Amino acid sequence: MTEDSQRNFRSVYYEKVGFRGVEEKKSLEILLKDDRLDIEKLCTFSQRFPLPSMYRALVWKVLLGILPPHHESHAKVMTYRREQYSDVLHALNVIRFVSDATPQVEVYLRMYQLESGKLPRSSSYPLPKAFEQYLNLEDSRLLTHLKMCSAVSRLPYEIWFKRCFAGCLPESSLQRVWDKVVSGSCKILVFVAVEILLTFKIKVMALNSAEKITKFLENIPQDSSDAIVSKAIDLWHKHCGTPVHSS
């Protein structure tokens, strides 16, 4: 049995006996011990499994390019990054793109956009068409109802696709979604939105106006969040496949 086969066998065994995550945590720790972190393998791991909370901040920083792959540079680079944060925030205030009243999640978004040269003149969301496509595949009747209520163009896309569900999902659920986003799979956002509609289908179908539907979706019950994210990840894998380590 090859090393990969043994690892896969152990993963299946741990999952069956209720210890899923044990083998995953060990695998991540092995990846993090490398002198030069393998970005591709960390991306693949993040897309396949939820990151352990104790390593999430480090992995996110490496995947986002905040920290370099080499461990020995981390302390010095973080000092530079703190100075960079202050400079970018000051610049956004000077050009009046943010203020003291701007929500923190939007400040972070604008900082990233300024750094990457993508600061927009107006807000736009490139994912609604994909959202309609996959909702139609999963439940065409539900999409038809939204169109009949003229609700499709008024859904909370800003919360879903601009804030990446910040303020919509509780932190524990949000972290699992952002694991995928940070590792390069923004499309997970589409499937979270689709699954929210599928989960609350009965409620949404009972509402007959765009205003009522939007108001409900902006304040969904929090107790279903973990199940929604799990099902959304399953949908993502169903339509987009499961990421695999490259050799």
Side-chain angles (χ1 to χ4, degrees):
M1 186 179 289
T2 65
E3 183 179 347
D4 286 341
S5 298
Q6 289 176 335
R7 185 179 295 114
N8 291 336
F9 174 79
R10 290 197 301 270
S11 297
V12 172
Y13 172 76
Y14 278 126
E15 184 170 354
K16 284 186 176 179
V17 297
F19 288 99
R20 182 180 180 183
V22 174
E23 184 73 6
E24 296 164 8
K25 182 170 178 285
K26 289 181 180 178
S27 298
L28 179 59
E29 288 173 344
I30 291 172
L31 291 177
L32 293 176
K33 284 181 180 177
D34 291 342
D35 290 334
R36 189 183 190 284
L37 299 176
D38 190 315
I39 304 298
E40 184 178 353
K41 287 184 178 179
L42 287 176
C43 280
T44 303
F45 183 95
S46 299
Q47 292 186 26
R48 293 192 66 184
F49 310 112
L51 289 170
S53 57
M54 64 188 299
Y55 297 123
R56 177 171 280 117
L58 172 60
V59 174
W60 282 15
K61 287 176 183 177
V62 172
L63 294 183
L64 290 171
I66 296 171
L67 289 176
H70 299 282
H71 283 287
E72 66 271 14
S73 304
H74 285 186
K76 183 177 290 186
V77 169
M78 276 309 298
T79 299
Y80 296 148
R81 288 299 189 186
R82 292 186 184 97
E83 295 173 358
Q84 182 183 17
Y85 176 92
S86 298
D87 291 342
V88 173
L89 182 59
H90 176 67
L92 286 171
N93 276 284
V94 169
I95 63 176
R96 297 181 180 179
F97 232 96
V98 302
S99 67
D100 292 341
T102 305
Q104 199 65 42
V105 291
E106 184 168 343
V107 172
Y108 293 148
L109 173 64
R110 297 308 183 193
M111 293 178 76
Y112 166 75
Q113 290 175 330
L114 180 60
E115 278 285 277
S116 58
K118 298 176 181 177
L119 195 64
R121 294 186 178 181
S122 62
S123 298
S124 61
Y125 315 106
L127 301 172
K129 288 186 178 180
F131 162 76
E132 287 187 48
Q133 173 191 346
Y134 289 112
L135 181 59
N136 185 56
L137 289 173
E138 293 297 320
D139 196 319
S140 59
R141 182 166 171 259
L142 180 53
L143 178 60
T144 299
H145 175 72
L146 293 175
K147 288 181 176 180
M148 289 180 64
C149 294
S150 300
V152 174
S153 62
R154 301 179 62 178
L155 296 176
Y157 295 124
E158 178 170 331
I159 295 174
W160 292 352
F161 303 143
K162 179 180 174 182
R163 300 184 187 178
C164 303
F165 293 95
C168 175
L169 299 176
E171 185 174 326
S172 59
S173 302
L174 190 65
Q175 288 172 342
R176 295 169 61 203
V177 175
W178 283 19
D179 284 346
K180 315 306 178 191
V181 174
V182 169
S183 59
S185 292
C186 291
K187 209 166 189 178
I188 185 65
L189 301 174
V190 171
F191 294 106
V192 175
V194 169
E195 186 55 46
I196 286 175
L197 267 297
L198 295 177
T199 297
F200 298 109
K201 174 182 176 178
I202 295 176
K203 175 67 176 179
V204 171
M205 293 290 285
L207 300 174
N208 55 11
S209 72
E211 291 81 4
K212 292 177 180 178
I213 291 172
T214 302
K215 185 177 180 180
F216 171 74
L217 293 175
E218 286 176 342
N219 299 279
I220 61 172
Q222 301 287 287
D223 55 1
S224 303
S225 298
D226 283 341
I228 287 172
V229 172
S230 294
K231 291 177 181 178
I233 292 173
D234 289 341
L235 273 181
W236 175 55
H237 287 159
K238 171 184 171 182
H239 290 286
C240 300
T242 302
V244 179
H245 280 299
S246 60
S247 55

